Amino acid sequence: MFSISKLVALAAIIGIVWFGFRLIGRLDAARKAKASEKTDGRQDRGRPEGTHGRDDVVDLVRDERTGEYVTRDRRDERT
């Protein structure tokens, strides 16, 4: 009924599951730490109001003199 090979296999399975959960916990903690570092760095840069933390979107306005589309800051610098 109980053999040594079955007990060893059961212990191995329990050990694998236990170490797997520990590994998943470490990876999750590292991911959360990296995400918090990323958001901390963004807050230090001082984003302009209205960007909502998106780096890939830039509002452009048409320059009346040249007809080019530029950022608001560049348009204001030209005047």
Side-chain angles (χ1 to χ4, degrees):
M1 176 152 214
F2 290 108
S3 67
I4 297 207
S5 62
K6 288 181 183 179
L7 292 175
V8 169
L10 178 63
I13 291 171
I14 291 172
I16 289 170
V17 170
W18 183 54
F19 282 114
F21 277 116
R22 285 181 53 192
L23 178 64
I24 290 171
R26 286 183 194 165
L27 292 175
D28 188 45
R31 181 186 56 82
K32 287 180 182 178
K34 188 175 181 182
S36 69
E37 287 175 6
K38 220 179 231 188
T39 57
D40 290 344
R42 287 183 178 171
Q43 290 172 352
D44 291 341
R45 281 199 307 219
R47 296 192 172 279
E49 191 172 303
T51 58
H52 303 291
R54 296 185 62 186
D55 290 333
D56 56 345
V57 177
V58 177
D59 291 329
L60 298 177
V61 294
R62 188 170 183 177
D63 189 358
E64 293 84 17
R65 287 184 278 149
T66 62
E68 296 177 353
Y69 286 92
V70 295
T71 61
R72 288 187 194 272
D73 297 336
R74 286 197 53 205
R75 183 192 66 178
D76 294 340
E77 288 173 3
R78 292 180 182 188
T79 59

